[in-house]
Amino acid sequence: MKINRRRRLIRTFNLLDQPIKFNPFVFSRTFFMWAITGLIGGIIAGLYWIVLEHFTEFLHHFQGWMVIPTMAISGLLAGLVIHFIGDPGEIHLIVNNIRFNKGKLEPKNNPSMILSSLFCVASGGSLGPEAPLVQVTGSTGTYLGKLFRLKGEELRSLSIAGMASGFTALFGAPLGGSLFSLEILHHKHAVEYYKAIIPALVASCFSYLMFALIIHLGIGATWDLKAYHYNGVYDFAYATAFGIVGTLFGWIFIFVVKFFKKAFEYRKFPIYIKTLVGGILLGIIAFYFPLTRYFGHNEINQLINGNYALNFLIIILIFKILAIAITVTSGWRGGFIIPLFFVGTILGLIIHSLFPSVDTTLAIVSCMAAINACVTRTPMSTTIILGTLTGFTYFVPILFASLTGYFLAPKIPFIGSQSEKLAEE
């Protein structure tokens, strides 16, 4: 007993000998690093969006048959930028670097990513600005981490925080954007890098604040869906059934992408030849079906507010999937999340046309959730992001649809670097 008392006294005196550190905040230096990352990410996203809007407005003047040479030239210029300035990679490379390159996203190819994606998105490619923004803001996080002399998990967390700031700026959902930056990194362990969740949340909040100040963004739903009214427990069964339909088209989309990938890789041509051919094909589709042009941010509202015939919706569905696949595989730069939401919207409207008694909003949101969760393997963040973008406040039906898409997705993930096999190699 006396020995134990002596040991306790020694420990107490040792503690008293240590200098007392007073810090009134839970976070100090680290909090400000995350906040700075978010602020810079929001500024980058805001400036990128302003340039994108003006460039899109300029190229939008080329209508009718002029859309074909416009998209062909834009594709050629994007390919030349990638060929001479550097290949910035795609979402596969971002995930790969975060997981297997110690969380480092190199900023050296950011000029190439910004320029090439502006040509691709503004001219009417079926890919959105989310992937370019995530690449640029994520690499900014890496740059700041090196500036602050961070290493290991701290550096990876700041890179992820930068990615989250890019997602959040576009989607306007800090929580959804934060989770997305974690979920998209692995197809099984959804939040493998859970230590980065607080850095991602802090950066997302500051990014959204800065982005909203720059482009005068209002808080509210982006797409004009009708208010959803809960009709009972069967709505969960409907959401699951609609989710199965969305998942089916997620599979179709993946197989179409693989087909065009083989077609574009059949012969090894320079990247600018591929982007030129892709631009010609996309221009032809956009000429005959103008609603398939662009990544769908504004076009989703046109679908919702328009009274389109069933035959027209089916045609748009087919050619939009083809347009996204061609854009992805021909070397054009951008992200496919919002384009997949566009496909989900068409599916929901087709279901409503076939079964008029079905709640349109529930069908649309469920299909949106399922197809995106099937392709990107992000059920949690998809649910939250869609709740924000659509104003659909009942998260549980969306979650049922998201989980349906997630668990019925192909065994091999569409984003190959999400796979565990790469880690083992």
Side-chain angles (χ1 to χ4, degrees):
M1 291 293 292
K2 290 181 179 179
I3 293 172
N4 289 335
R5 285 176 185 172
R6 286 176 183 174
R7 285 177 179 170
R8 283 195 215 111
L9 283 170
I10 290 168
R11 284 198 206 105
T12 303
F13 284 123
N14 285 338
L15 286 170
L16 291 172
D17 286 339
Q18 294 179 8
I20 297 172
K21 295 180 180 180
F22 177 73
N23 185 353
F25 301 107
V26 176
F27 301 112
S28 53
R29 177 175 175 267
T30 51
F31 173 83
F32 289 111
M33 284 192 298
W34 305 335
I36 291 167
T37 302
L39 288 171
I40 295 174
I43 292 170
I44 292 170
L47 295 176
Y48 180 92
W49 188 263
I50 289 171
V51 174
L52 178 63
E53 280 193 323
H54 283 88
F55 196 26
T56 303
E57 188 178 347
F58 169 72
L59 293 179
H60 188 69
H61 292 299
F62 298 97
Q63 298 287 339
W65 67 269
M66 285 295 294
V67 74
I68 299 174
T70 299
M71 297 191 73
I73 294 168
S74 296
L76 176 62
L77 291 173
L80 290 171
V81 167
I82 294 168
H83 180 75
F84 288 107
I85 300 180
D87 188 352
E90 299 173 356
I91 191 70
H92 303 265
L93 183 62
I94 296 172
V95 174
N96 187 70
N97 285 342
I98 289 291
R99 295 190 63 203
F100 310 122
N101 190 30
K102 300 178 181 178
K104 298 175 184 176
L105 297 175
E106 296 299 333
K108 63 181 180 180
N109 287 326
N110 282 351
S112 174
M113 174 60 88
I114 292 170
L115 286 173
S116 60
S117 65
L118 282 172
F119 281 115
C120 295
V121 178
S123 62
S126 288
L127 290 180
E130 61 268 25
L133 279 179
V134 167
Q135 165 66 31
V136 175
T137 56
S139 61
T140 301
T142 300
Y143 174 78
L144 291 173
K146 289 179 178 178
L147 204 64
F148 293 130
R149 297 180 180 178
L150 300 182
K151 293 181 180 180
E153 285 303 316
E154 285 189 330
L155 179 60
R156 194 198 310 271
S157 293
L158 203 62
S159 298
I160 293 173
M163 288 173 60
S165 70
F167 273 126
T168 296
L170 182 64
F171 295 126
L175 181 57
S178 302
L179 280 175
F180 204 101
S181 65
L182 294 175
E183 275 192 299
I184 202 166
L185 298 177
H186 203 293
H187 80 291
K188 282 188 176 179
H189 311 298
V191 283
E192 181 179 2
Y193 306 105
Y194 63 90
K195 292 179 181 178
I197 187 64
I198 298 298
L201 279 170
V202 173
S204 291
C205 288
F206 280 91
S207 171
Y208 183 56
L209 176 66
M210 187 56 62
F211 187 73
L213 286 171
I214 291 173
I215 68 164
H216 308 291
L217 180 70
I219 297 174
T222 303
W223 298 316
D224 305 326
L225 288 170
K226 295 178 182 177
Y228 165 73
H229 300 288
Y230 176 67
N231 294 315
V233 72
Y234 289 109
D235 278 7
F236 302 133
Y238 287 132
T240 304
F242 302 148
I244 292 171
V245 175
T247 306
L248 172 63
F249 278 86
W251 277 74
I252 291 171
F253 168 75
I254 291 169
F255 280 113
V256 172
V257 168
K258 287 184 176 180
F259 171 80
F260 277 102
K261 188 176 182 181
K262 287 182 180 178
F264 278 105
E265 292 178 353
Y266 182 71
R267 292 280 182 90
K268 288 192 175 181
F269 291 107
I271 183 68
Y272 51 85
I273 299 297
K274 292 181 180 179
T275 53
L276 171 63
V277 173
I280 293 169
L281 294 174
L282 291 170
I284 292 169
I285 294 173
F287 171 68
Y288 287 103
F289 308 103
L291 199 56
T292 62
R293 194 181 179 189
Y294 301 109
F295 62 98
H297 183 75
N298 297 316
E299 289 70 29
I300 287 175
N301 276 333
Q302 289 183 38
L303 278 174
I304 293 168
N305 297 323
N307 188 18
Y308 298 108
L310 177 61
N311 292 342
F312 178 79
L313 291 172
I314 292 172
I315 291 169
I316 293 296
L317 172 65
I318 294 168
F319 281 96
K320 186 62 178 180
I321 291 175
L322 290 174
I324 301 170
I326 292 168
T327 314
V328 169
T329 55
S330 63
W332 283 47
R333 292 297 182 261
F336 45 78
I337 296 165
I338 294 180
L340 288 176
F341 288 159
F342 180 92
V343 174
T345 304
I346 301 174
L347 286 173
L349 292 171
I350 289 172
I351 291 170
H352 178 70
S353 297
L354 293 171
F355 307 99
S357 60
V358 164
D359 187 292
T360 315
T361 300
L362 181 62
I364 289 173
V365 175
S366 298
C367 289
M368 280 179 161
I371 192 170
N372 190 63
C374 174
V375 175
T376 64
R377 311 297 179 95
T378 56
M380 291 187 293
S381 52
T382 294
T383 301
I384 296 169
I385 288 169
L386 277 176
T388 304
L389 293 176
T390 63
F392 196 102
T393 54
Y394 296 88
F395 279 179
V396 181
I398 311 178
L399 188 57
F400 269 71
S402 295
L403 290 173
T404 301
Y406 178 76
F407 286 113
L408 296 181
K411 187 176 181 180
I412 299 173
F414 176 72
I415 301 172
S417 45
Q418 288 179 330
S419 177
E420 283 181 300
K421 291 182 180 179
L422 287 173
E424 291 169 4
E425 293 172 1

